[in-house]
Amino acid sequence: MLYIHTLSTLILLSIVAKHQPLSSFSLEEMAGDQLQVLNALDVAKTQLYHFTAIVIAGMGFFTDAYDLFCISLVTKLLGRIYYFDPTSADPGTLPPNVAAAVNGVAFCGTLSGQLFFGWLGDKMGRKKVYGMTLMLMVICSLASGLSFGHTAKGTIATLCFFRFWLGFGIGGDYPLSATIMSEYANKKTRGAFIAAVFAMQGFGILAGGIVSLIVSAAFKNAYKAPAYQDDRAGSTVSQADFVWRIILMVGAAPALLTYYWRMKMPETARYTALVAKNAKQAATDMSKVLNVDIEAEQEKVEQIASNQKNSFGLFSREFLKRHGLHLLGTTTTWFFLDIAFYSQNLFQKDIFSAINWIPKAKTMNAIQEVYKISRAQTLIALCGTVPGYWFTVFLIDKIGRFKIQLMGFAMMTVFMLALAIPYHHWTTPGNHFGFVAMYALTFFFANFGPNSTTFIVPAEIFPARLRSTCHGISAAAGKAGAIVGAFGFLYAAQSKDPTKRDKGYPAGIGIRNSLFLLAGCNLFGLLFTFLVPESKGKSLEEMSQENEEGDEDVGVGTSNNRTTPM
């Protein structure tokens, strides 16, 4: 499966690049006061090293998505195994606080990891930190599947502990992968390349569903069991405990396979030259990568470093003046997007149960329920999630980040309202297909929209010495939104009718009103998009004003870049 995804990625990206020759570039194309090594990267033709970097960074995101979302496939099973009540007419479910912890603890770790590793990536370099995050993901994926305890509470507590640290490693992958890809790419196709890295998230979500389908189908056929309503104790066979463990542990495989190649990647030239101030090393590394001779311009590097306009810190007035509104835009849009996006992903099984697309839990055995949930989520990923990512890859460098993000938020709002306003119509027999189709379209426009662009833009508009940190802050704001979605939607979506609520939950506002809230989040995301500048077709140094020597104000003064097509 890993190799199929990798091969398909290379084929799709070859089409995006329009079969550009694998030769490099003409030195005559370089101009201005830009460092030669950075100009070389900006104007380089699409080459094999671009695709290699996409696959290496992208497989990290494949793993991230698999690990973050596979938990939603097995939470119902965990409830049946560890919270079985023989006196209940319905199968066991995770208590509210336990369900919130299992679903949300990885996001808490991810938020922490994004802040910590984002900062560390600017201090130690992108490459050094990259390996740490990957090994943490491998170890904690395996450990999550090996969570044991003498009691149900002990097992779940162990699982949550390792899920937190798994999220911590995943968090580091966000700023580092985005920053590395942006600093390796040429300015003409940079958006497509960063989007391609992020698009591997769609394959990761799809792979989670497929792996869960395969594992549950194999166990379902090997260990026959009656439905819960026919035999309460016998509906959950002892072997069901292996199902969720195998699904979680598979997430270690793709990360482990790419570790060697991550360690062989050279440090990005922008970090080496502009942050580490080692022009010779930057020129040497990129000469090998691009297969041309590049002059080491140490004097020019020293000159750039000595310019006071290029030495301000994150908490300085100069940063606030130049990039304060930009950071506000990237954090708020990502925050509102993730409330809606992660609510939909983590709890679509509950929504599908509510509209009766997935049969009632008591009519199935434990493993059969995993199979039905996996099939539903795989279909949504295949029809809505994955295509949306690749529409962004193909079109982002043509129509720009701003327009895609604005359109995505607008369409998500429309489809959320289309689901919520006639919600009772969708829950009646015969109308489920229409609900699922529009639900898939909200995922499509999330991914052909803000879920991709909120990842791309922070890697392009901030200075090299703060790029990873600012991307980490933006991503952490997104994960704060995911935590709000994971914990808030869990309670909010509960029905006011006690007979329709999950056991142990207080009355909520119901799924219909929750969908209205998510539509409101999308609308706020649309409004804050106007704070985000358009970076299509510009070099990273042009966007960050890193080599500016004049005294003109930037930041607020660059607001005209937000909507002007390049």
Coordinates of all heavy atoms in Angstrom, one line a residue, residues 66-80 82-83 93-110 144 147 152-167 170 244 248 342 346-347 349 482-483 485-487 490-491 505:
Y66 N -2.8 8.8 9.3 CA -3.2 7.5 9.7 C -3.3 7.4 11.3 O -4.3 6.9 11.8 CB -2.1 6.5 9.2 CG -2.5 5.0 9.6 CD1 -3.1 4.2 8.6 CD2 -2.2 4.5 10.8 CE1 -3.5 2.9 8.9 CE2 -2.6 3.2 11.2 CZ -3.2 2.4 10.2 OH -3.6 1.1 10.5
D67 N -2.2 7.9 12.0 CA -2.2 7.7 13.4 C -3.3 8.6 14.1 O -3.9 8.2 15.1 CB -0.8 8.2 14.0 CG 0.2 7.1 13.6 OD1 -0.1 5.9 13.5 OD2 1.4 7.5 13.5
L68 N -3.5 9.8 13.6 CA -4.5 10.7 14.2 C -5.9 10.2 14.0 O -6.8 10.3 14.9 CB -4.4 12.1 13.7 CG -3.2 13.0 14.2 CD1 -3.2 14.3 13.5 CD2 -3.2 13.1 15.7
F69 N -6.2 9.7 12.8 CA -7.6 9.4 12.5 C -8.0 7.9 12.7 O -9.2 7.6 12.8 CB -8.0 9.8 11.1 CG -7.9 11.3 10.9 CD1 -6.9 11.9 10.2 CD2 -8.9 12.1 11.6 CE1 -6.9 13.3 10.0 CE2 -8.8 13.5 11.4 CZ -7.8 14.1 10.7
C70 N -7.1 7.0 12.8 CA -7.4 5.6 13.0 C -8.1 5.3 14.3 O -8.8 4.4 14.5 CB -6.2 4.7 12.8 SG -5.0 4.8 14.1
I71 N -7.9 6.2 15.3 CA -8.5 6.0 16.6 C -10.0 6.1 16.5 O -10.7 5.4 17.3 CB -7.9 7.0 17.6 CG1 -8.3 6.6 19.1 CG2 -8.4 8.4 17.3 CD1 -7.6 5.3 19.5
S72 N -10.5 6.9 15.6 CA -12.0 7.0 15.5 C -12.6 5.7 15.0 O -13.8 5.5 15.2 CB -12.3 8.2 14.5 OG -11.9 7.9 13.2
L73 N -11.8 4.9 14.3 CA -12.3 3.6 13.8 C -12.5 2.6 14.9 O -13.2 1.6 14.7 CB -11.4 3.1 12.7 CG -11.2 4.0 11.5 CD1 -10.0 3.5 10.7 CD2 -12.4 4.1 10.7
V74 N -11.8 2.7 16.0 CA -11.8 1.7 17.0 C -12.4 2.1 18.4 O -12.4 1.3 19.3 CB -10.4 1.1 17.2 CG1 -9.9 0.5 15.9 CG2 -9.4 2.2 17.7
T75 N -12.8 3.3 18.5 CA -13.4 3.8 19.8 C -14.6 3.0 20.2 O -14.8 2.7 21.4 CB -13.6 5.3 19.8 OG1 -14.4 5.6 18.7 CG2 -12.4 6.1 19.8
K76 N -15.5 2.7 19.2 CA -16.7 1.9 19.5 C -16.3 0.5 20.0 O -16.9 0.0 21.0 CB -17.5 1.7 18.3 CG -18.1 3.0 17.8 CD -19.4 3.4 18.4 CE -20.1 4.5 17.7 NZ -21.4 4.9 18.4
L77 N -15.2 -0.1 19.4 CA -14.8 -1.4 19.8 C -14.2 -1.3 21.2 O -14.4 -2.3 22.1 CB -13.7 -1.9 18.8 CG -13.1 -3.3 19.1 CD1 -14.1 -4.4 19.2 CD2 -12.0 -3.6 18.1
L78 N -13.4 -0.3 21.5 CA -12.9 -0.1 22.9 C -14.0 -0.1 23.9 O -13.8 -0.7 25.0 CB -12.0 1.1 23.0 CG -10.7 1.2 22.2 CD1 -10.1 2.6 22.2 CD2 -9.7 0.1 22.8
G79 N -15.1 0.6 23.6 CA -16.2 0.6 24.5 C -16.8 -0.8 24.8 O -17.1 -1.1 25.9
R80 N -16.9 -1.5 23.7 CA -17.5 -2.9 23.8 C -16.6 -3.8 24.7 O -17.1 -4.6 25.5 CB -17.7 -3.5 22.4 CG -18.9 -2.9 21.6 CD -19.1 -3.8 20.4 NE -20.2 -3.3 19.5 CZ -21.2 -4.0 19.2 NH1 -21.4 -5.2 19.7 NH2 -22.1 -3.6 18.3
Y82 N -14.0 -3.0 26.9 CA -13.6 -2.6 28.2 C -14.7 -2.0 29.1 O -14.5 -1.8 30.3 CB -12.4 -1.6 28.1 CG -11.2 -2.2 27.5 CD1 -10.8 -1.9 26.2 CD2 -10.4 -3.1 28.2 CE1 -9.7 -2.4 25.6 CE2 -9.3 -3.7 27.7 CZ -8.9 -3.4 26.4 OH -7.8 -4.0 25.8
Y83 N -15.8 -1.7 28.5 CA -16.9 -1.1 29.3 C -18.2 -1.9 29.0 O -19.3 -1.3 28.9 CB -17.1 0.4 29.0 CG -15.9 1.2 29.5 CD1 -14.8 1.4 28.7 CD2 -15.9 1.7 30.8 CE1 -13.6 2.0 29.2 CE2 -14.8 2.4 31.3 CZ -13.7 2.6 30.4 OH -12.6 3.3 30.9
T93 N -20.1 1.4 25.8 CA -19.5 2.5 25.2 C -18.6 3.2 26.1 O -18.7 3.1 27.4 CB -20.6 3.6 24.8 OG1 -21.3 3.9 26.0 CG2 -21.6 3.0 23.8
L94 N -17.6 3.9 25.6 CA -16.7 4.7 26.4 C -17.4 5.8 27.2 O -18.2 6.5 26.6 CB -15.6 5.3 25.6 CG -14.6 4.3 24.8 CD1 -13.7 5.1 24.0 CD2 -13.9 3.4 25.8
P95 N -17.2 5.9 28.5 CA -17.8 7.0 29.2 C -17.4 8.3 28.6 O -16.3 8.4 28.0 CB -17.3 6.8 30.7 CG -16.9 5.4 30.7 CD -16.4 5.0 29.4
P96 N -18.2 9.4 28.9 CA -17.9 10.7 28.2 C -16.4 11.2 28.4 O -15.8 11.6 27.5 CB -18.9 11.6 28.9 CG -20.0 10.7 29.3 CD -19.4 9.4 29.6
N97 N -15.9 11.1 29.7 CA -14.6 11.6 29.9 C -13.5 10.8 29.3 O -12.5 11.3 28.8 CB -14.3 11.8 31.4 CG -14.5 10.4 32.2 OD1 -15.3 9.6 31.8 ND2 -13.8 10.3 33.3
V98 N -13.8 9.5 29.2 CA -12.8 8.5 28.6 C -12.8 8.7 27.1 O -11.8 8.8 26.5 CB -13.2 7.1 29.0 CG1 -12.2 6.1 28.2 CG2 -13.1 6.9 30.5
A99 N -14.0 8.8 26.5 CA -14.1 9.0 25.0 C -13.4 10.3 24.6 O -12.7 10.4 23.6 CB -15.6 9.1 24.6
A100 N -13.6 11.4 25.4 CA -13.0 12.7 25.1 C -11.5 12.5 25.2 O -10.7 13.1 24.3 CB -13.5 13.7 26.1
A101 N -11.0 11.8 26.2 CA -9.5 11.6 26.4 C -8.9 10.8 25.2 O -7.9 11.2 24.6 CB -9.2 11.0 27.7
V102 N -9.6 9.7 24.9 CA -9.1 8.8 23.8 C -9.0 9.6 22.5 O -8.1 9.5 21.7 CB -9.9 7.6 23.7 CG1 -9.6 6.8 22.4 CG2 -9.7 6.7 24.9
N103 N -10.1 10.3 22.2 CA -10.2 11.1 20.9 C -9.3 12.3 20.9 O -8.8 12.7 19.8 CB -11.6 11.5 20.6 CG -12.4 10.3 20.1 OD1 -12.2 9.8 19.0 ND2 -13.5 9.9 20.8
G104 N -9.1 13.0 22.0 CA -8.5 14.3 22.0 C -7.1 14.4 22.5 O -6.4 15.3 22.3
V105 N -6.6 13.3 23.2 CA -5.3 13.4 23.9 C -4.2 13.6 22.9 O -3.2 14.3 23.1 CB -5.0 12.2 24.8 CG1 -4.8 10.9 24.0 CG2 -3.9 12.5 25.7
A106 N -4.3 12.9 21.7 CA -3.2 13.0 20.7 C -3.2 14.5 20.2 O -2.1 14.9 19.8 CB -3.5 12.1 19.5
F107 N -4.3 15.2 20.1 CA -4.3 16.5 19.6 C -3.6 17.4 20.7 O -2.9 18.4 20.3 CB -5.7 17.0 19.4 CG -6.4 16.3 18.3 CD1 -7.7 15.9 18.4 CD2 -5.7 16.1 17.1 CE1 -8.3 15.2 17.4 CE2 -6.3 15.5 16.0 CZ -7.6 15.0 16.2
C108 N -3.7 17.1 21.9 CA -3.0 17.9 23.0 C -1.5 17.7 22.8 O -0.7 18.7 22.9 CB -3.4 17.4 24.4 SG -5.2 17.7 24.8
G109 N -1.1 16.5 22.5 CA 0.3 16.2 22.2 C 0.8 16.9 21.0 O 1.9 17.5 20.9
T110 N -0.1 16.9 19.9 CA 0.3 17.5 18.7 C 0.5 19.0 18.8 O 1.5 19.6 18.3 CB -0.8 17.2 17.6 OG1 -1.0 15.8 17.5 CG2 -0.4 17.8 16.3
S144 N 1.4 2.3 21.6 CA -0.1 2.4 21.7 C -0.8 1.1 21.5 O -1.7 0.8 22.2 CB -0.6 3.4 20.6 OG -0.1 4.7 20.9
S147 N -0.6 -1.3 24.6 CA -1.1 -0.8 25.9 C -1.8 -1.9 26.7 O -2.8 -2.4 26.2 CB -2.1 0.4 25.6 OG -1.5 1.4 24.9
A152 N -9.7 -2.0 33.0 CA -10.0 -1.2 31.8 C -9.4 0.2 31.9 O -8.9 0.7 31.0 CB -11.5 -1.2 31.7
K153 N -9.5 0.7 33.1 CA -9.0 2.1 33.3 C -7.5 2.1 33.1 O -7.0 3.1 32.5 CB -9.3 2.6 34.8 CG -9.0 4.0 35.0 CD -9.4 4.5 36.4 CE -10.9 4.5 36.6 NZ -11.3 5.1 37.9
G154 N -6.8 1.1 33.6 CA -5.3 1.0 33.4 C -4.9 1.0 31.9 O -4.0 1.6 31.5
T155 N -5.7 0.1 31.1 CA -5.4 0.0 29.7 C -5.6 1.3 29.0 O -4.8 1.7 28.2 CB -6.2 -1.1 29.1 OG1 -6.0 -2.4 29.8 CG2 -5.9 -1.3 27.6
I156 N -6.8 1.9 29.2 CA -7.1 3.2 28.5 C -6.1 4.3 29.0 O -5.7 5.1 28.1 CB -8.5 3.6 28.8 CG1 -9.5 2.5 28.3 CG2 -8.8 4.9 28.2 CD1 -9.5 2.3 26.8
A157 N -5.7 4.3 30.2 CA -4.8 5.3 30.7 C -3.4 5.2 30.0 O -2.8 6.1 29.6 CB -4.6 5.2 32.2
T158 N -3.0 3.9 29.8 CA -1.7 3.6 29.1 C -1.8 4.0 27.7 O -0.9 4.7 27.1 CB -1.4 2.1 29.2 OG1 -1.4 1.7 30.6 CG2 0.0 1.9 28.6
L159 N -3.0 3.7 27.0 CA -3.2 4.1 25.7 C -3.1 5.6 25.5 O -2.5 6.1 24.6 CB -4.5 3.6 25.2 CG -5.0 4.0 23.8 CD1 -4.1 3.5 22.7 CD2 -6.4 3.5 23.5
C160 N -3.8 6.3 26.4 CA -3.8 7.8 26.3 C -2.4 8.4 26.5 O -2.0 9.4 25.9 CB -4.8 8.4 27.3 SG -6.5 8.1 26.9
F161 N -1.6 7.8 27.4 CA -0.2 8.2 27.6 C 0.6 8.2 26.3 O 1.2 9.2 25.9 CB 0.4 7.4 28.7 CG 1.9 7.7 28.9 CD1 2.3 8.8 29.7 CD2 2.9 6.9 28.3 CE1 3.6 9.1 29.9 CE2 4.2 7.2 28.5 CZ 4.6 8.3 29.3
F162 N 0.5 7.0 25.7 CA 1.3 6.9 24.5 C 0.7 7.7 23.3 O 1.5 8.1 22.4 CB 1.5 5.4 24.1 CG 2.4 4.7 25.0 CD1 2.0 3.6 25.8 CD2 3.7 5.0 25.1 CE1 2.8 2.9 26.6 CE2 4.6 4.3 25.9 CZ 4.2 3.3 26.7
R163 N -0.6 7.8 23.3 CA -1.2 8.7 22.2 C -0.8 10.1 22.4 O -0.6 10.8 21.4 CB -2.7 8.6 22.3 CG -3.3 7.2 21.9 CD -3.4 7.0 20.4 NE -4.2 8.0 19.7 CZ -4.4 8.1 18.4 NH1 -3.6 7.3 17.6 NH2 -5.1 9.0 17.9
F164 N -0.6 10.6 23.6 CA -0.1 12.0 23.8 C 1.2 12.1 23.2 O 1.5 13.1 22.4 CB -0.1 12.3 25.3 CG 0.5 13.7 25.5 CD1 -0.3 14.8 25.5 CD2 1.9 13.8 25.8 CE1 0.3 16.1 25.7 CE2 2.4 15.1 26.0 CZ 1.6 16.2 26.0
W165 N 2.2 11.2 23.5 CA 3.5 11.4 22.9 C 3.6 11.1 21.5 O 4.5 11.6 20.8 CB 4.5 10.5 23.7 CG 4.7 11.0 25.1 CD1 4.2 10.5 26.3 CD2 5.4 12.2 25.5 NE1 4.5 11.3 27.4 CE2 5.3 12.4 26.9 CE3 6.1 13.2 24.7 CZ2 5.8 13.5 27.6 CZ3 6.6 14.3 25.4 CH2 6.5 14.4 26.8
L166 N 2.7 10.2 21.0 CA 2.6 10.0 19.5 C 2.2 11.4 18.9 O 2.8 11.8 17.9 CB 1.5 9.0 19.2 CG 1.1 8.8 17.7 CD1 2.3 8.3 17.0 CD2 0.0 7.8 17.6
G167 N 1.2 12.0 19.5 CA 0.8 13.4 19.0 C 1.9 14.4 19.1 O 2.1 15.2 18.2
I170 N 4.0 13.8 16.1 CA 3.3 14.2 14.9 C 3.3 15.7 14.8 O 3.5 16.3 13.7 CB 1.8 13.7 14.9 CG1 1.8 12.2 14.7 CG2 1.0 14.4 13.9 CD1 0.5 11.5 15.0
W244 N -8.0 -3.8 17.4 CA -7.6 -2.4 17.5 C -6.1 -2.2 17.7 O -5.5 -1.2 17.3 CB -8.4 -1.7 18.7 CG -8.0 -2.2 20.1 CD1 -8.6 -3.2 20.8 CD2 -7.0 -1.6 21.0 NE1 -8.0 -3.3 22.1 CE2 -7.1 -2.3 22.2 CE3 -6.1 -0.5 20.8 CZ2 -6.2 -2.0 23.3 CZ3 -5.3 -0.2 21.9 CH2 -5.3 -1.0 23.1
L248 N -3.7 0.1 15.2 CA -2.8 1.2 15.7 C -1.4 1.0 15.4 O -0.6 1.9 15.1 CB -3.0 1.4 17.2 CG -4.4 1.8 17.7 CD1 -4.4 2.1 19.2 CD2 -4.9 3.0 17.0
Y342 N -11.9 18.5 12.1 CA -11.7 17.4 13.0 C -13.0 16.9 13.6 O -13.1 15.7 13.9 CB -10.6 17.7 14.0 CG -9.3 17.7 13.4 CD1 -8.7 18.8 12.8 CD2 -8.5 16.5 13.4 CE1 -7.4 18.7 12.3 CE2 -7.3 16.4 12.9 CZ -6.7 17.5 12.3 OH -5.5 17.4 11.7
L346 N -13.6 12.9 13.2 CA -13.6 12.0 14.4 C -14.9 11.5 14.7 O -15.0 10.4 15.2 CB -13.0 12.8 15.6 CG -11.5 13.1 15.6 CD1 -11.2 14.0 16.8 CD2 -10.7 11.8 15.6
F347 N -16.0 12.2 14.3 CA -17.3 11.8 14.8 C -18.3 11.5 13.6 O -19.5 11.4 13.8 CB -17.9 12.8 15.7 CG -17.0 13.1 16.9 CD1 -16.3 14.3 17.1 CD2 -16.8 12.1 17.9 CE1 -15.5 14.5 18.1 CE2 -16.0 12.3 19.0 CZ -15.3 13.5 19.1
K349 N -18.7 8.7 12.4 CA -19.3 7.4 12.7 C -20.6 7.6 13.5 O -21.6 6.9 13.3 CB -18.4 6.5 13.5 CG -17.9 7.1 14.8 CD -16.9 6.3 15.5 CE -16.5 6.9 16.9 NZ -16.0 8.2 16.8
A482 N -8.9 21.8 16.8 CA -9.2 20.4 16.8 C -9.6 19.9 18.1 O -10.5 19.0 18.3 CB -8.0 19.6 16.3
I483 N -8.9 20.4 19.2 CA -9.3 20.0 20.6 C -10.7 20.5 20.9 O -11.5 19.7 21.5 CB -8.2 20.5 21.6 CG1 -6.9 19.8 21.3 CG2 -8.7 20.4 23.0 CD1 -5.7 20.5 22.1
G485 N -13.0 20.9 18.8 CA -13.9 20.0 18.0 C -14.0 18.7 18.6 O -15.1 18.1 18.7
A486 N -12.9 18.1 19.1 CA -12.9 16.7 19.6 C -13.6 16.6 20.9 O -14.4 15.7 21.1 CB -11.4 16.2 19.8
F487 N -13.4 17.6 21.8 CA -14.1 17.6 23.1 C -15.5 18.2 23.0 O -16.5 17.6 23.6 CB -13.3 18.3 24.1 CG -12.0 17.6 24.5 CD1 -10.8 17.8 23.9 CD2 -12.0 16.7 25.5 CE1 -9.6 17.2 24.2 CE2 -10.9 16.0 25.9 CZ -9.7 16.2 25.3
L490 N -18.2 16.2 20.8 CA -18.6 15.0 21.5 C -19.8 15.2 22.4 O -20.7 14.4 22.5 CB -17.4 14.5 22.3 CG -17.5 13.1 23.0 CD1 -17.6 12.0 22.0 CD2 -16.3 12.9 23.9
Y491 N -19.8 16.3 23.1 CA -20.9 16.6 24.1 C -22.0 17.4 23.3 O -23.2 17.1 23.6 CB -20.4 17.5 25.2 CG -19.5 16.7 26.2 CD1 -18.1 16.6 26.0 CD2 -20.1 16.1 27.3 CE1 -17.3 15.9 26.9 CE2 -19.3 15.3 28.2 CZ -17.9 15.2 28.0 OH -17.1 14.5 28.9
Y505 N -23.9 10.5 28.9 CA -23.7 11.8 28.4 C -24.9 12.7 28.9 O -26.0 12.3 28.9 CB -23.6 11.8 26.9 CG -22.3 11.3 26.4 CD1 -22.1 10.0 26.2 CD2 -21.3 12.2 26.0 CE1 -20.9 9.5 25.7 CE2 -20.1 11.7 25.5 CZ -19.9 10.4 25.3 OH -18.7 9.9 24.8

